[in-house]
Amino acid sequence: MKKILSIALVIGLLLSVSVFPAPAVNASSLAGREPTDEKKYCEATLESDFADDIVLVVINRSTSRKTLTFTRHDFQNLQIESVKSLTPHTENMFRQRTADIEDFSINTDGFQKEEAEDLLNYEDFRQILEIKLDNPGKENVLMAVRELEKLDYIESAGPSYYRYPQSTTPNDPMYGQQQWALNSSAYLNMPAAWDITTGSTAVKVGVMEAGVSTHSDLSGNLSSGWNFVNNNSSTTDTANGHGTAVAGVIGARGNNLTGICGVNWKVSLVPLKVGTTTSNFLDHHVIAAINYAGSNSILIVNCSFGGPDYSPEVESAMRNYAGLIVCSAGNDGINTDGNTKFYPGCYNLSNIINVAGTAQNSNNLATTADWPANKASNWGATTVHLAAPGTGIAVTVPTAVDSTGYQSGWWGTSVACPMVTGVAALIKSKYPDLTAVQIKQAILSGVDKNSSLTSKVRSGGRLNAFNALRNAAAYSGGKNKAVTGVFNNSGKMSTAYIVDKGNNQIALMMRYGSNTTATQAWISKVGGFPYSAIIGVVTGKFFSSTYDDIAVIAKNSDQMTSIYCWGYINGVFQLRSVPGRDYMWRGPSFPSSGIRDIVVGNYLGGNDLSDIALFYDYGSTTTSMFVWKGDSTNNNYQLIPQGTQTGGAMWRSATFDASRIVKVVTGKFSNTTKWDIALFYDHGAKTTSIFEWQWSAAQGKMVSIGSQQGGAVWRGTDFNAIGIHDAVAGRFTGSSYQDIALFYDHGLNTSSIFEWKGTSTGLQVINGSNPNGSVWQSTTFTASKLGRRLVAGNFKGSGNIYDSIAGFYDVGGSTTRLFAWHGKSGGGFNVLYGNGDWTSNTSGFDPYCINNRIVSGFYNGTNYDVAVIYAENNGSLKLYEWNWDSRDSKLKRNANSVVFN
């Protein structure tokens, strides 16, 4: 009876706990809580790889000894389909042995009973439950985990993670013999890529086709989409299986003992039905589908279609889209650099990848000898970016097309294109913070170079999935991880770069001054600092007016934010720490997902130290500016957040949409000692503004200083922000104030520089003599080919008072050209045009291998030099440098290089 009563009492307590609803929680991450002997907390995030409908629960030791039976009624605050014990055999054994002890204790004393219980090893036994949710979804799993962790009798709760064999070779029957492009390291190198990630259903990929049919090998990967032809949700493939084939290349379920394996084993394929056959896609349906993708967090779209007619409306829609668009180059065997184009792949947009097709078991472009009907792959050293396998491809098709559901001989750029789309989705699953441009750069910089492709495609190579994923790590967080500053007592500026060492370990590499070697200034412990956690890297004099520090803004495992700092301390460059912690600031209610642009300058009054500022997006048109003030005295050198607005912000607006911020620039625009912050803001309808904030000693904070509509310092009502490529600050006009130069891409190979000069009252536009008021314009220059490879500095030196801009330009065929624009009095720039200051050998220097790793500083003397950290094909990182040659009035590359990893 005592046994029965104790069980009933525990069940009653469980029910009494479970019926009360718990407060809502942020389920994006569950880390950050300290475990105890009886409590272990889950550290899963939405990026983790787990089933979307299962929660595993471990009952604590004391409750497990009672061997209770749990049902879904015991967890009434959760929507649960079923509860199943995963330890029934062990539970039955313990029930029986417990009964034996009860009988044994009748004729023995207490000591003998305790001894018998110890023999059963109660200390090790834990009851384990499998809880299946009614409402699948990774976020719902994490929410359920958090709710279950609140219950005292639960020792741990967590998701059911996917596990894969080390070789990461799928067991799909057609993989070994019929998927030549995927199963060999000589081509896409998929097995090595799958060792990194096999994809995630959290990544949505739009399949813009005549529909996608349900298929057993797409089960679990095929999501609901929309029919833009009939304006309904029916998205079945009504053509010849083309859409279903494309979907299978991207994401046929892998390792499921069925058919083929997609580039992604797991992904969310969203059908965007824009036609009823493969030849009648209409532009207004395509535009509607792009808008739908942008509105539904579908950040990758596959476009295996096209035509020769240019449409500015489709181009505008694609320019407006924040995601990546992967296009087929076409099957007409033509050079699309000529007069005949193939759109949408030939739109010159930074978020488009245009894909040619190769022959089977070959790196050569497919010719009429490889494809039927006198077809061959299109090509173009400027308009086509890379090649991918496009011959003899195994695909999924509707059973109405083939009763087996598969065909193995598909050809064309239509199947080469989804190979690239699939790799883009793999990158997005591993590094969800990467932008479309960064994913594009990772893919293009990772191609396998081939002489047959040098003059055929822009990258000079064929897709390599493993290289693309490896390169993507350099972009994670979306910020430049190379910085420059005075980091020791050499009196010269140095270059620093954060290197991913793997195993959640990073190293800070430092090249001091003009040294011929780089040293490892600091390295984290293994498992201590994932490279992917880095949001931004900045440098400034945060704690001393003598030396620069490095600050890393990082995402915690619970998605919140920390700032770490390194500095020159007692003759050594090392991590700054204070007792009990190794970070300078941590925001307990500061999710990293809201962080936009991060800049550094001496903004605040009271000292000569640098401050960190960023704009934070709360959504619903609410934006704040946060500023962390450098401090050499307060509490052992801390970064102190300033501001009295909500959350400690310096400035806040409920009518300012952070998603419309195009570019943030910082400089001494209105004061020769303090810095201002300026940003370009897109109002839409071809209207753009510049907003500027400066330090107000009277108010003790940064204040907006503009008098134009909305408080802007400049407003252009015929200035389309879509054309803004990049902007930099410097003393381009030679005054004591700094100016802003903005590179603008008009399209059709026409680009301009617009300039705003700093004055005591803020930024003022310089009206140039070129069309639209620009200070420089070229009709043979495409600003988007500069990537994010722009930097400003006083490169001429020797008494020169005008700063210059250096930019690395993608000529095509892995050839890079360095241009320099030199400021002049009154505004405008002198530029040695044509071949520029420096041109690499043909196929000798790929601009995409520079990534965002470009800096400038006085490494060798008083004038500034340009330095880039370049990713070599063998995986090494090297620093190359360009110095000003006064004899030829050019920037010339130094013959030496420095290894950086």
Side-chain angles (χ1 to χ4, degrees), residues 197-200 203-205 250 263-264 266-269 300 324 326 419-431 439 443 469:
T197 178
T198 56
S200 169
V203 177
K204 298 178 183 179
V205 176
I250 299 169
V263 174
N264 291 262
K266 300 180 300 298
V267 67
S268 289
L269 301 165
I300 302 172
L324 180 69
V326 187
M419 296 278 185
V420 178
T421 302
V423 172
L426 285 179
I427 292 172
K428 195 70 173 176
S429 73
K430 181 68 175 177
Y431 305 107
I439 294 174
I443 290 172
L469 274 161

Side-chain angles (χ1 to χ4, degrees), residues 856-873:
S856 68
F858 52 90
Y859 310 122
N860 297 286
T862 56
N863 59 306
Y864 273 59
D865 306 317
V866 178
V868 301
I869 297 176
Y870 185 88
E872 302 282 356
N873 286 335

Side-chain angles (χ1 to χ4, degrees), residues 403-675:
S403 60
T404 66
Y406 302 92
Q407 290 180 342
S408 57
W410 278 54
W411 56 271
T413 57
S414 281
V415 286
C417 173
M419 296 278 185
V420 178
T421 302
V423 172
L426 285 179
I427 292 172
K428 195 70 173 176
S429 73
K430 181 68 175 177
Y431 305 107
D433 294 333
L434 292 191
T435 66
V437 171
Q438 290 166 336
I439 294 174
K440 175 180 177 177
Q441 290 178 330
I443 290 172
L444 297 186
S445 63
V447 297
D448 286 329
K449 305 287 185 180
N450 187 275
S451 58
S452 68
L453 297 173
T454 299
S455 61
K456 299 292 186 182
V457 296
R458 191 162 166 177
S459 65
R462 190 213 64 245
L463 176 68
N464 183 307
F466 171 70
N467 288 349
L469 274 161
R470 182 193 62 188
N471 291 348
Y475 297 92
S476 61
K479 300 297 178 182
N480 192 356
K481 297 179 182 65
V483 292
T484 191
V486 179
F487 297 129
N488 67 0
N489 58 5
S490 67
K492 294 181 179 180
M493 299 183 78
S494 306
T495 304
Y497 184 67
I498 295 178
V499 175
D500 184 5
K501 307 294 285 188
N503 297 317
N504 288 339
Q505 183 180 29
I506 62 170
L508 184 62
M509 303 298 295
M510 191 80 71
R511 186 258 197 150
Y512 293 106
S514 56
N515 289 355
T516 56
T517 59
T519 60
Q520 183 172 284
W522 177 86
I523 188 168
S524 71
K525 65 180 181 180
V526 173
F529 209 123
Y531 188 83
S532 60
I534 299 174
I535 299 170
V537 183
V538 292
T539 183
K541 291 178 170 59
F542 304 128
F543 308 108
S544 166
S545 59
T546 305
Y547 304 117
D548 288 299
D549 298 286
I550 293 173
V552 168
I553 295 85
K555 175 174 58 180
N556 304 335
S557 58
D558 61 357
Q559 309 301 306
M560 298 299 167
T561 307
S562 292
I563 301 178
Y564 299 84
C565 291
W566 290 260
Y568 189 64
I569 309 169
N570 299 325
V572 179
F573 199 84
Q574 57 184 282
L575 179 70
R576 290 186 178 273
S577 61
V578 296
R581 57 180 171 82
D582 57 0
Y583 52 85
M584 288 292 110
W585 178 83
R586 176 163 289 176
S589 300
F590 204 90
S592 58
S593 58
I595 294 174
R596 292 299 172 255
D597 291 78
I598 306 167
V599 290
V600 169
N602 186 355
Y603 306 120
L604 307 182
N607 59 32
D608 294 324
L609 301 180
S610 303
D611 313 300
I612 299 173
L614 60 80
F615 287 90
Y616 195 88
D617 185 1
Y618 289 97
S620 301
T621 70
T622 298
T623 302
S624 287
M625 177 203 297
F626 288 89
V627 180
W628 286 262
K629 181 180 179 180
D631 196 324
S632 61
T633 59
N634 192 314
N635 195 14
N636 295 320
Y637 305 97
Q638 289 193 70
L639 284 171
I640 309 297
Q642 306 294 304
T644 58
Q645 302 292 320
T646 302
M650 176 71 65
W651 171 88
R652 184 180 177 92
S653 172
T655 59
F656 196 95
D657 187 349
S659 68
R660 291 185 173 272
I661 297 174
V662 181
K663 179 68 179 179
V664 178
V665 189
T666 185
K668 298 176 182 178
F669 304 135
S670 65
N671 190 301
T672 57
T673 58
K674 300 300 179 187
W675 292 54

Side-chain angles (χ1 to χ4, degrees), residues 696-778:
S696 169
Q699 299 183 51
K701 63 180 181 180
M702 298 288 287
V703 296
S704 181
I705 64 172
S707 59
Q708 301 289 321
Q709 184 176 338
V713 294
W714 175 85
R715 186 178 179 91
T717 55
D718 192 22
F719 195 95
N720 194 343
I722 292 173
I724 293 176
H725 178 67
D726 205 356
V728 291
R731 289 189 174 90
F732 305 129
T733 60
S735 77
S736 55
Y737 301 107
Q738 289 184 305
D739 317 299
I740 294 177
L742 180 144
F743 285 75
Y744 191 94
D745 189 346
H746 299 277
L748 301 178
N749 297 323
T750 300
S751 297
S752 294
I753 297 178
F754 293 91
E755 190 173 10
W756 290 262
K757 65 179 180 180
T759 72
S760 60
T761 56
L763 290 162
Q764 295 181 10
V765 68
I766 298 176
N767 292 310
S769 58
N770 293 288
N772 304 308
S774 64
V775 297
W776 176 86
Q777 187 171 90
S778 170

